[in-house]
Amino acid sequence: MNIKNRILLCVIILQIAGFTALLLHYNSRASNSVLEFNRQQIMTAVTASVHHLDATAAQMERTALGLARSGEHHHQQHHRSNPAEVRTALQKLLVRTFQSFNQALGGGIWFEPYTIDPDARYFGPYAYHNGQDVMATWDLSDERYDYPSQPWYRLAIPADWPRDQQRNADLFWSPPYFDSAGTEALIMTVDALMYDNQQKLIGIATVDWAMEELRQQIRELHLTPGTRPFLLHQSSAQYLVGPQHDSALHTVVSNQQLLALKANDATELQEQNGEYLFAARSQTGLVMGVRIPHADLALAVQERLADGMTINIGIAVLFVSIMALVLEVLFRPFEQILQRLQSTVAYNREASQPSFRPLQYDAENEFTPIVNAFNTLVGQVDQFTRRLSDSNSKLQAEQQRAEELNATLESKVEERTRELEQKNAEANESLRKLKLTQQQLVNLEKHAALGEVVAGLAHEINTPLGISVTAVSALEDQLQEVAQLFRSNQLHKAEFDDFIQFAEEGVQITADNLRRAADLIARFKQVAVDQSSEQRREFELGDYLQSIVVSLRPNYKYRPIDVRVECPQRIFISGYPGAVAQIFTNLMMNSLTHAFDDSSSERGQIHIEAQQRDQLVEITFSDNGKGMDEHTLSHLFDPFFTTKRNQGGSGIGAYIIQDLVSHQLHGSLEVSSAPGQGTRFVIRFPLTRPAGDQ
């Protein structure tokens, strides 16, 4: 084996060793990144499913509260009517309520014994869906069913509970159970308490939720080919939908694991039997989750790595080919010199002496001095006879050498140009994929934040709407009663004055609460539209910041946290309000999640202050939370860095804030924090952005 082949073999061995080490390192890091990305997507899907489940449950609760308020009203007014009229009014109310509520199996208004009718122990109408119609029944108001002793009734009003004392809650959800009153369906019941004017318990209103449709939706959830969804209730830790027995209730999850779940947030539980286990708990105690086989996620990782392996092998083959070509170019002059020396030296037998001819070598390298010395010797031997010939030959050789060098140079330039174009194309493609992935992560974070705001808004407007429904229902009943008296010529002035006063109060209550709900919806609508559309418009900063805080109020209204917005002057901005909404939504959610500990006895403070400084606006966001250490602060804006990885944190919230401030608003961001000293963000950006500037 000659030296050229030995060098080529060594290069190939070293290249294979280095390539293998780099490939193993790349595969390890890429596998972890792809696996973590897929797991985050699965957790996001589980969280969204639980939010949808809670939205349906919230509608059940609002209906139950509305029925309870109506039942209280009829109890308050029943001394003016006989029990038969109350019976008719309640029956119509239940039918009217459930005609527009297809998601509920049915519901009823159940009074304590002898509350409405001193002669009737049981007084509880019930309405239920029967195909396309809603039917009302009083068949459950007898001693055979004895509804005050039913588990769902005792859940809200225990048998030994003093009726003159209030319960610690207004709503109670029962665990799933099979309805023994006729449907035999698996249902959950929400109970809403009813009180009289002296705050004495007088009964409950219920709404029944049929679980079969929900169970079917869970069974059809397929995030990967091997996905096995499940649904269970926290109090019993039993499956409603399970991977082994869909129709039976089978205990497989420990109470310790259930206690570790947080409401409305997906959590990855301990792996079992070669599967990933993701679950989230709803507000009603239902726990929804999926089991994902390791093989499903491993297959996704392998498919992603296979593309990279093909490219890497192509690069390795190209590198070996280039090295072989380089060695061929390097050793070609040596072989040429050897061949030419052999052809220019001959032995003259007649003269008994060797004869020499000039060596023709046109390249410029380390062999050139040897060739020149040899040619000089030949020239001295035959200087008189070959001087003119040698001069002419050298001139032609120099011209030929120049032409060959020019041709070689053009070929090398073209080759290097093609290589640079190929590398540039690969770099541009990688950059495009990176930007696409980044945009997808930002959109997921935006949608997750918007989903939390939507869920909070639904809960926030529940109170004014419930009060409005109650007031309108009461006014409707009072109007019917006055109309009957008027038609029968029995309406007296005093009764009409009472009706007018009652109507004025009802209309005022309804108007005030509807205006309050409309204001909440208007503020939320503007913020939500801005976050999703990213359109440019002019807006007033102080009012817009207040709208953002109002839309996020459900996330902190029951926590010891005060949020204060100060904008001493009206500041008008021509720009992108969606970016401002996303920035301060992420800042608020980061503070509520990371800055404040629910076990702390001190009251939390979040302060937002905006000021105009020449053509810039400066907004300071600060809290008095537990702050950050130097390590956390130094990595705050790194993508996927989070201190709550196992508690649902994505690690891109702060990164999105920095990206929006720098690129969308063309501004600057400063942050300062210390353990126990809170955190302070200072954001500055121009008041006006050029119309074509993106």
Side-chain angles (χ1 to χ4, degrees), residues 137-150:
T137 179
W138 292 82
D139 292 344
L140 304 181
S141 297
D142 57 28
E143 61 184 7
R144 290 175 299 174
Y145 187 62
D146 192 24
Y147 63 79
S149 66
Q150 295 297 321

Side-chain angles (χ1 to χ4, degrees), residues 66-67 69-70 463-475 510 514:
L67 292 175
R69 301 295 81 82
S70 298
T463 300
L465 290 181
I467 295 174
S468 299
V469 170
T470 300
V472 170
S473 298
L475 182 59
T510 303
L514 288 178

Side-chain angles (χ1 to χ4, degrees), residues 249-260:
L249 302 178
H250 183 63
T251 302
V252 297
V253 179
S254 67
N255 291 331
Q256 184 177 3
Q257 289 177 318
L258 292 177
L259 292 176

Side-chain angles (χ1 to χ4, degrees), residues 232-240 242-245 248-255 258 291:
L232 57 91
H233 194 269
Q234 186 179 21
S235 64
S236 60
Q238 292 181 323
Y239 271 123
L240 280 71
Q244 297 176 351
H245 305 287
L249 302 178
H250 183 63
T251 302
V252 297
V253 179
S254 67
N255 291 331
L258 292 177
R291 292 171 178 256

Side-chain angles (χ1 to χ4, degrees), residues 446-514:
K446 288 181 179 180
H447 293 163
L450 189 58
E452 292 180 357
V453 174
V454 170
L457 177 69
H459 180 77
E460 184 69 12
I461 65 174
N462 174 49
T463 300
L465 290 181
I467 295 174
S468 299
V469 170
T470 300
V472 170
S473 298
L475 182 59
E476 180 182 13
D477 295 338
Q478 190 70 13
L479 179 61
Q480 292 179 357
E481 182 178 346
V482 171
Q484 291 177 358
L485 293 174
F486 176 76
R487 294 188 184 98
S488 60
N489 294 324
Q490 298 179 4
L491 180 62
H492 299 91
K493 181 178 180 181
E495 294 174 339
F496 188 70
D497 288 341
D498 291 343
F499 169 72
I500 292 176
Q501 182 179 1
F502 184 83
E504 289 176 345
E505 293 176 355
V507 170
Q508 183 65 37
I509 292 172
T510 303
D512 291 343
N513 283 275
L514 288 178

